[in-house]
Amino acid sequence: MPSRRADPLTLEVVELIGDVVARYHQEYEHAAASHQLTGAQARVLNLLSLEPTAMRKIAQKLKCEPSNVTGIVDRLESRGLVERRPDPADRRVKLAAATEAGLQTADRLRESLDFAREPLAGLSTAERTALRDLLRRMLG
């Protein structure tokens, strides 16, 4: 039976993806801290700046327990960055939504994430498109 060992190119690609992810998380945590947020709070705020979202859906997107999301939203709400409101489609469901202050903080947070922007700026539009398409394909 042939060996299932990965070839050197695959190993290098996996290593590079790991380095990119680690660097992104480090930069994201630093940017979040500069806005007095934890990385998890920043991720939730960023998500909510796109659209109001049910707590259950936030937990699914972040791949964490709903109870963790409740605590994160509580802390963001106490700072005036997030509010809870009834879902117009189902009044029993509460949506978490970014407030105006939350939207401004999310914008400032995105602006401070230079790590992703700077290296990508060195790629042409065609290269960024190819990278995006390859990543989408890898994620299925």
Side-chain angles (χ1 to χ4, degrees):
M1 189 166 178
S3 173
R4 303 287 257 165
R5 298 188 68 183
D7 63 277
L9 176 60
T10 298
L11 292 173
E12 184 180 5
V13 169
V14 168
E15 183 75 23
L16 288 168
I17 289 171
D19 291 348
V20 168
V21 168
R23 195 163 152 201
Y24 173 79
H25 280 292
Q26 182 181 17
E27 181 75 18
Y28 202 88
E29 292 290 330
H30 177 72
S34 72
H35 292 89
Q36 292 78 49
L37 297 168
T38 65
Q41 289 170 341
R43 283 188 285 282
V44 169
L45 184 59
N46 184 55
L47 183 66
L48 296 178
S49 73
L50 304 175
E51 66 178 333
T53 307
M55 308 290 262
R56 170 183 42 76
K57 193 171 182 182
I58 297 168
Q60 289 170 346
K61 285 191 177 206
L62 297 181
K63 295 175 179 40
C64 68
E65 292 296 316
S67 59
N68 291 349
V69 171
T70 300
I72 293 167
V73 170
D74 286 347
R75 288 185 287 286
L76 291 170
E77 189 174 35
S78 72
R79 291 189 48 192
L81 301 174
V82 167
E83 65 185 10
R84 287 177 170 92
R85 55 174 85 140
D87 184 344
D90 183 348
R91 308 293 279 168
R92 297 169 298 173
V93 175
K94 290 280 187 203
L95 298 178
T99 61
E100 189 57 40
L103 292 172
Q104 291 171 4
T105 300
D107 283 344
R108 286 194 307 274
L109 181 63
R110 275 190 289 275
E111 285 300 312
S112 63
L113 286 174
D114 294 331
F115 159 69
R117 197 173 17 258
E118 288 174 8
L120 289 174
L123 301 177
S124 69
T125 300
E127 289 170 326
R128 288 193 313 271
T129 301
L131 178 59
R132 180 205 60 203
D133 293 347
L134 289 169
L135 291 170
R136 283 181 175 170
R137 205 164 109 204
M138 285 177 65
L139 293 171

